[in-house]
Amino acid sequence: LVLFAVALCLLLLARALPSAVKATGAVISWLIFTGVLAKLGAFQHEPPALFFCFVVGGFIANGVAMATTGFGKQLAIGLPFWMLCGAQGFRIWVEYMLHWGYKAGFIPQQIQWEGGNNKDIVTGIVGPVLAAALLLGDAEGKAAATESGEADALVDEKSPPKLRLPLFTGLLWAFNVMGLALLGAVVGTAMLSMPGTPFQQYTNLPANVWLLSIPYCWLPMFMAQLAFASHVL
């Protein structure tokens, strides 16, 4: 699952950037750095302050980079809406992994969908469906523009569906709001389930310490960051 998410991330970078070498190196370096820290037990201290710093700091840095920097602008221009929505489909497999972990007995109930607070699989299902609708709308719009001699107006790959079909604007906003809310709910629940913290609200067993080890540390430190960045863009 981690390898799939990494491949997806690198594919998006290669699609959006003229040269993705530096960005690819940054992604791989981040994975190695956090993986080594997890392997050395750096996140295992109670309370897991370093873990919180990396997760929360990652979301803040991620949001700022995607929304305000030239790098984020390149990604926003280079990645069409359908691709950003379709990429969210990887969350389906994340949710199945969490459910499997619950059944296996090492993930607490509230972190997954069965009787828990995690309904993020909805985003994973809706994303590809919306992507297909965007692609269909884009194809129909290009065909109509070609017939009317307005093909030159469709140079920008990302804007036609939004400008041509105002409905898509509302759908995209609703999808992003829903996706961010569901992502925030599961990340927040995971943080509130961490033992040894002053704000722990969930004390049921098993203790929510699985996120502090490799490879599970990459769920909040990479896969959740990928989902968040796709919404911001």
Side-chain angles (χ1 to χ4, degrees):
L1 182 58
V2 173
L3 292 176
F4 176 78
V6 172
L8 176 62
C9 178
L10 298 184
L11 176 65
L12 293 175
L13 291 173
R15 173 66 171 76
L17 302 174
S19 175
V21 175
K22 291 183 179 179
T24 298
V27 169
I28 294 174
S29 297
W30 173 256
L31 290 168
I32 293 174
F33 180 56
T34 52
V36 168
L37 287 177
K39 189 68 175 178
L40 294 175
F43 301 137
Q44 301 285 345
H45 301 289
E46 194 171 300
L50 185 62
F51 176 80
F52 278 106
C53 287
F54 270 70
V55 174
V56 176
F59 278 114
I60 294 173
N62 193 353
V64 171
M66 295 301 108
T68 67
T69 67
F71 173 69
K73 184 177 180 180
Q74 276 188 297
L75 292 178
I77 293 173
L79 294 172
F81 288 134
W82 70 263
M83 190 172 288
L84 291 169
C85 292
Q88 299 286 4
F90 85 94
R91 287 154 83 162
I92 295 175
W93 312 115
V94 172
E95 298 314 312
Y96 271 106
M97 185 276 290
L98 293 176
H99 185 64
W100 166 80
Y102 166 63
K103 292 296 186 181
F106 67 91
I107 291 179
Q109 182 178 24
Q110 66 271 17
I111 304 296
Q112 50 80 61
W113 75 63
E114 186 178 323
N117 299 339
N118 187 353
K119 310 303 178 187
D120 198 44
I121 194 171
V122 175
T123 307
I125 294 171
V126 174
V129 173
L130 182 55
L134 287 165
L135 271 175
L136 180 61
D138 189 46
E140 290 177 348
K142 286 181 178 179
T146 300
E147 290 176 3
S148 63
E150 298 177 358
D152 290 341
L154 296 174
V155 175
D156 186 345
E157 183 180 1
K158 191 166 185 177
S159 62
K162 180 174 68 174
L163 298 178
R164 205 174 50 248
L165 300 174
L167 173 62
F168 280 132
T169 303
L171 289 175
L172 286 167
W173 273 105
F175 174 70
N176 273 325
V177 170
M178 177 194 72
L180 286 170
L182 292 176
L183 180 64
V186 65
V187 171
T189 299
M191 297 298 102
L192 293 174
S193 301
M194 283 290 179
T197 62
F199 45 81
Q200 182 184 8
Q201 298 296 314
Y202 298 92
T203 57
N204 55 300
L205 296 175
N208 192 41
V209 295
W210 60 283
L211 284 171
L212 307 178
S213 60
I214 193 170
Y216 304 112
C217 64
W218 287 321
L219 179 57
M221 293 186 186
F222 178 69
M223 285 183 272
Q225 304 293 336
L226 177 60
F228 179 66
S230 296
H231 282 304
V232 175
L233 292 172

